[in-house]
Amino acid sequence: MKHHICIFTGARPNFIKVAPLIHAVQQTDDCDYQLVYAGCADDPTLEATLFDDLQIPAPDAFLGVDCENLNELTGRVMSEFERYLSEHETDTVIVVDDLASTMAAAIVTKKRGLRLAHLVAGTRSFDISMPKEINRLVIDGLSDLLFTAGVGSSSIATREGAENHKIYLVGNILMDTLRYNHDRWQRPACLDGIDNGRYLVFTLNRKALLADEENLQRMLGAISEVAGDIPVIAPLRGRALEVVSGFKLQTSNIKLQTSLSYLEFGYLTTHAMGIITDSGNVAEEATFNHVPCITLNSYTEHIETVKQGSNILVGEDAEQLRSALGDMVAGRWKSSSLPDRWDGRTAERIVSILTQT
């Protein structure tokens, strides 16, 4: 008898993490899956090439929830996902990360008495004022299977009372996607005339950084000044592109770029001299690729990227950024190594656990 799995996604980054899981499920006869997306089929954040780039089918179901208020979103996702589960045979629901929609799906799953698995469990900021921190606590507390990316995350889950038989250190599934696509990256047109290893990458998305425009301009000024004649490729989207474009930067080395396809962005970050980002995912990928990375945040959900990897944290401090970037462009960077089980085989471990427990 096949095991029926529902893979629930709430935002674009989730698809990048579940793609290897879908590939692994497709290789077994023991289970099948359906992919569910909380948003709409015409969601503008899902570029037309995304699913082809990841080599996975489009979602089997779109819940069609599209709203800004997190409490409203939570309620609507709960209602729509309840309807979905009542119409589709499901044994296990897999949720990813820490979104409000993820928490909503987790609550509905357990209310229906189904097995809940949390992919990228045990991550914490220890800042209860962050909505995502509340989501993480709720999801982990409800989950029957906690799939963690590192020893630190497993330890957090244990300290918070999760039973040991629920916790599985499977590694970072983002590395599976990088390994799978290693030979498929596509060099973007924005690198025409620029040699590999002779440019920096800058990405921006955090609302806190975008809200403090004065400080953001200071940080961009530091990047521009220290980079000098090194091009800084900045593939931005949405609000970030709008804000930075509005600064009318008096510099030619920061090159704003509309968002790239997944395969183009993968090439860009893999071959960069270094990366400046506020994205934990980008920092994790930099560790896998051994590319120096500066994260514009005071904490990271995966401290392995700092302790073993190529990442350092500078918070939102323009002077710390200036100093770290000076080391980066001068070639003075710490040595790095891959954390345990960041080997590109996380999805295989997860499917084995799902079919044997």
Side-chain angles (χ1 to χ4, degrees), residues 143-156:
S143 293
D144 303 289
L145 299 172
L146 297 163
F147 295 130
T148 66
V151 173
S153 296
S154 293
S155 297
I156 287 170

Side-chain angles (χ1 to χ4, degrees), residues 1 3 31 48 62 64 85 117 132 140 149 255 266 280 299 301 304 314:
M1 181 180 296
H3 190 85
C31 50
F62 294 86
L85 289 177
K132 285 187 176 182
D140 279 355
K255 302 181 182 299
Y299 84 98
E301 286 91 349
E304 296 91 344
V314 300

Side-chain angles (χ1 to χ4, degrees), residues 143-318:
S143 293
D144 303 289
L145 299 172
L146 297 163
F147 295 130
T148 66
V151 173
S153 296
S154 293
S155 297
I156 287 170
T158 300
R159 290 201 305 270
E160 292 182 352
E163 299 169 75
N164 286 334
H165 72 271
K166 293 183 175 183
I167 304 169
Y168 295 88
L169 199 173
V170 294
N172 191 327
I173 201 164
L174 271 179
M175 308 307 109
D176 293 40
T177 307
L178 296 184
R179 177 172 171 261
Y180 182 85
N181 290 296
H182 183 268
D183 297 323
R184 301 180 62 244
W185 299 135
Q186 297 172 2
R187 199 173 203 271
C190 62
L191 289 181
D192 288 351
I194 301 175
D195 293 335
N196 287 349
R198 287 300 304 164
Y199 62 89
L200 300 168
V201 175
F202 172 67
T203 78
L204 177 67
N205 188 58
R206 282 179 58 217
K207 291 181 179 179
L209 282 172
L210 292 168
D212 190 345
E213 295 190 9
E214 184 176 337
N215 189 53
L216 180 56
Q217 289 195 66
R218 283 196 294 269
M219 288 193 288
L220 288 168
I223 292 170
S224 176
E225 180 182 333
V226 177
D229 61 356
I230 300 170
V232 181
I233 312 298
L236 306 180
R237 66 171 74 226
R239 176 65 178 159
L241 181 60
E242 178 184 334
V243 169
V244 177
S245 297
F247 291 159
K248 297 181 172 57
L249 299 171
Q250 300 300 312
T251 175
S252 60
N253 63 350
I254 296 181
K255 302 181 182 299
L256 297 183
Q257 171 70 39
T258 53
S259 58
L260 303 173
S261 73
Y262 175 73
L263 295 180
E264 289 175 325
F265 185 75
Y267 186 102
L268 187 74
T269 54
T270 298
H271 296 92
M273 170 189 291
I275 298 168
I276 307 142
T277 186
D278 61 0
S279 165
N281 288 348
V282 172
E284 292 160 40
E285 293 172 355
T287 281
F288 185 81
N289 291 320
H290 300 287
V291 174
C293 182
I294 297 169
T295 295
L296 307 178
N297 208 334
S298 56
Y299 84 98
T300 172
E301 286 91 349
H302 296 289
I303 195 62
E304 296 91 344
T305 65
V306 176
K307 290 185 174 180
Q308 283 184 251
S310 61
N311 184 31
I312 69 166
L313 307 176
V314 300
E316 298 166 10
D317 189 310

Side-chain angles (χ1 to χ4, degrees), residues 45-115:
T45 68
L46 308 181
E47 66 267 27
T49 63
L50 178 63
F51 300 113
D52 286 340
D53 285 350
L54 295 173
Q55 295 195 323
I56 61 173
D60 299 284
F62 294 86
L63 300 187
V65 178
D66 180 20
C67 55
E68 292 291 329
N69 183 281
L70 293 181
N71 290 328
E72 180 185 355
L73 183 147
T74 301
R76 289 179 58 188
V77 170
M78 288 181 68
S79 176
E80 294 301 325
F81 193 52
E82 170 81 23
R83 182 177 294 110
Y84 169 86
L85 289 177
S86 69
E87 297 171 355
H88 297 85
E89 183 178 0
T90 305
D91 301 304
T92 299
V93 174
I94 301 175
V95 296
V96 190
D97 286 338
D98 51 17
L99 302 172
S101 56
T102 311
M103 179 183 69
I107 293 170
V108 171
T109 298
K110 293 313 298 176
K111 283 190 173 184
R112 293 186 67 87
L114 302 175
R115 184 166 71 161

